[in-house]
Amino acid sequence: MGGLQRLENRLEQMISGAFAKAFRSAVQPVEIAAALQRECDNNAQILSRDRRLVPNDFKVELARTDLDRLAPYDSALAEELTRQLQEHADQQSYVFPGPIAIGFEPAGDLTTGRFRIRSQAQAKVSSNATHTQVGRARAVLEVNGTRHPLQPPGVVVGRGTDADIRINDPGVSRRHVEFTVGGGPEDLTIEVHDLGSTNGMLVDGHRISRTGLRDGSQVRIGNTTMTVRVVSDV
C-alpha cells in the first residue's frame, strides 16, 4: 500500500468519513499530500550523495469555500500530512532543516477545488538567551521568527553546539560568523565578520567577509537570513 493510500485510510478512520463528505466536490486531502511531495521533490538541494535538503515550512493556499470546509479538520489533517510527508522524506533520503510546519491560508484568486503550495526551508534556531536578556537588549538578531540579543562583546552564530546562536542549517558551518557589538548608549556599533566558513555570507545581497551593520541589515548564511534590529528605547 502506497503512502497516499495509507493517508486516506487513516483520515477515514479518524474522522469517520465526515471529511470526505465535506470535500466531495472540492479539494481532496490526497491531492494536497501529493502536491507537498512534489514541492519537496522539485526543491531538493543536494547535500551529499545520500542526502538532499528540502523545505520544511509549507503554506497551503485555498479558496475561501474550501478553507471553510476544512476548518473543523485542519489540525487533524495537518498532523496526518506531516506524518505522510516525513514518510516520503525517509524514502527519498530528504533532510528537513527544522520541524515540518503545514498551515492553511485563504487566497482570493483561487476558485473552489483549486489550491497552491508555497514553501521555504526554515532552520530551527536556538540560544541560551533569556526573555529578560532579549527585552533589555539595545539590538537583537531576528532569525526565522526568533529574537536573540546582540550584546557586547558579541555573539558567534553557527551550527555547532559551541555557537551562541545555533542554526540547524546544513549550509551553515559550525562557527560561521561573529557579530561584534561595541560603543556607548549613543553610538552603538555592530559589525559582522566571517569566521572562515565553507559557504561565506551575504550582507544585504553582497558577498563580503567583514562589514559594519545598521538597523535592518540582513545577513544570509546557508539558507538562513538574519536581520539586525536596533531598539531605540530600552
Side-chain angles (χ1 to χ4, degrees), residues 64-82:
R64 172 58 67 178
T65 50
D66 287 330
L67 191 65
D68 290 343
R69 291 189 182 102
L70 171 64
Y73 320 105
D74 57 358
S75 296
L77 179 58
E79 182 177 340
E80 287 301 322
L81 289 172
T82 297

Side-chain angles (χ1 to χ4, degrees), residues 67-152:
L67 191 65
D68 290 343
R69 291 189 182 102
L70 171 64
Y73 320 105
D74 57 358
S75 296
L77 179 58
E79 182 177 340
E80 287 301 322
L81 289 172
T82 297
R83 183 184 305 177
Q84 192 277 331
L85 196 58
Q86 183 64 63
E87 291 177 359
H88 179 67
D90 293 341
Q91 293 170 0
Q92 302 298 323
S93 298
Y94 291 158
V95 176
F96 295 110
I100 299 172
I102 300 175
F104 303 93
E105 298 180 349
D109 63 325
L110 296 177
T111 56
T112 300
R114 303 293 298 274
F115 68 94
R116 179 169 54 231
I117 305 289
R118 298 189 186 277
S119 68
Q120 62 178 337
Q122 190 167 81
K124 179 181 179 181
V125 183
S126 60
S127 73
N128 294 326
T130 65
H131 291 296
T132 299
Q133 289 173 322
V134 173
R136 291 178 177 175
R138 293 164 53 215
V140 298
L141 200 60
E142 295 181 346
V143 195
N144 292 353
T146 63
R147 290 164 62 91
H148 307 270
L150 288 173
Q151 298 175 319

Side-chain angles (χ1 to χ4, degrees), residues 116-229:
R116 179 169 54 231
I117 305 289
R118 298 189 186 277
S119 68
Q120 62 178 337
Q122 190 167 81
K124 179 181 179 181
V125 183
S126 60
S127 73
N128 294 326
T130 65
H131 291 296
T132 299
Q133 289 173 322
V134 173
R136 291 178 177 175
R138 293 164 53 215
V140 298
L141 200 60
E142 295 181 346
V143 195
N144 292 353
T146 63
R147 290 164 62 91
H148 307 270
L150 288 173
Q151 298 175 319
V155 296
V156 172
V157 180
R159 186 166 45 86
T161 56
D162 57 339
D164 300 302
I165 301 175
R166 299 172 292 281
I167 303 178
N168 184 31
D169 181 335
V172 173
S173 297
R174 295 185 62 81
R175 291 172 57 87
H176 200 114
V177 296
E178 182 175 18
F179 291 83
T180 56
V181 183
E186 303 299 327
D187 59 347
L188 179 69
T189 61
I190 305 173
E191 295 185 351
V192 63
H193 67 273
D194 187 277
L195 295 175
S197 66
T198 301
N199 297 319
M201 70 174 177
L202 296 176
V203 179
D204 295 328
H206 302 285
R207 187 166 294 277
I208 196 169
S209 59
R210 177 187 290 268
T211 188
L213 302 172
R214 64 184 188 282
D215 181 46
S217 292
Q218 292 191 327
V219 180
R220 184 173 179 84
I221 57 176
N223 294 287
T224 301
T225 298
M226 304 173 286
T227 303
V228 173
R229 298 296 183 194

